[in-house]
Amino acid sequence: MTSRDDEAVARFVERFGLIMAESGIPRMPARVLARLLVIDSAKATAAELAESLQISPAAVSGAVRYLVQVGLVRRARDPGERRDHYEVPDDVWFTVYSNRDKMFDAYTAVLSDGVAAVGEETPAGHRLDMTRRFFEYLRKELPAVTERFRALEYGSESPATPQRRRSE
């Protein structure tokens, strides 16, 4: 078994957090999510997160509230514990991307309204319609992509099953 390099882990957390922040996740939630991803159990209390990231408990509170709302993290409590912990399911990305239909529906609906507002034959109308068609395409194709990933990773088992088919 390889040993964990705590400095390299800390650098990874900051780098991955920064990349997620650049893609639209607020910076503090991105750092908290990156930290949870590198914990073997994928769970930690707010105090543990604050200490490991050297941030305030208030910053952790806001970050986990955001992460829970968007479905990247869940709040839980083990039997007999008095404090909540926050955890990242192994299949978090699968779940998040599998549930994008509503978002894509909302995008395409509002983009259709935008096309009607600016006029179909205008340059802006063409641009908005291309964007609408792109999201329609993603909505149609993403379920197949996520199912192929599920089959690759889990075979016929549920993603909730702890054992993965592929070697880690």
Side-chain angles (χ1 to χ4, degrees), residues 149-162:
F149 179 78
R150 180 195 308 249
L152 176 68
E153 290 293 307
Y154 303 102
S156 61
E157 300 171 14
S158 163
T161 305

Side-chain angles (χ1 to χ4, degrees), residues 117-133:
V118 301
E120 261 184 73
E121 299 306 319
T122 66
H126 286 289
R127 188 171 42 254
L128 290 173
D129 193 49
M130 174 66 78
T131 305
R132 180 193 59 77
R133 289 192 318 270

Side-chain angles (χ1 to χ4, degrees), residues 34-161:
R35 180 67 191 145
L36 284 168
L37 287 170
V38 300
I39 298 170
D40 286 335
S41 67
K43 68 182 186 179
T45 65
E48 291 166 340
L49 290 166
E51 181 182 333
S52 65
L53 291 168
Q54 299 176 356
I55 58 177
S56 72
V60 171
S61 177
V64 295
R65 185 177 327 108
Y66 172 86
L67 292 168
V68 168
Q69 284 175 339
V70 299
L72 291 168
V73 168
R74 62 182 170 225
R75 181 187 329 259
R77 186 177 293 182
D78 289 333
E81 281 191 359
R82 296 179 65 181
R83 294 190 308 184
D84 289 339
H85 65 260
Y86 301 94
E87 58 190 27
V88 178
D90 286 343
D91 64 339
V92 64
W93 300 111
F94 174 85
T95 302
V96 166
Y97 281 93
S98 294
N99 296 324
R100 293 294 173 171
D101 284 359
K102 291 177 192 158
M103 180 186 70
F104 292 143
D105 285 344
Y107 285 174
T108 58
V110 77
L111 285 162
S112 292
D113 292 346
V115 170
V118 301
E120 261 184 73
E121 299 306 319
T122 66
H126 286 289
R127 188 171 42 254
L128 290 173
D129 193 49
M130 174 66 78
T131 305
R132 180 193 59 77
R133 289 192 318 270
F134 174 73
F135 286 117
E136 281 181 346
Y137 178 81
L138 285 179
R139 184 180 166 279
K140 179 182 165 208
E141 294 297 320
L142 200 52
V145 170
T146 55
E147 283 306 312
R148 284 193 305 270
F149 179 78
R150 180 195 308 249
L152 176 68
E153 290 293 307
Y154 303 102
S156 61
E157 300 171 14
S158 163
T161 305

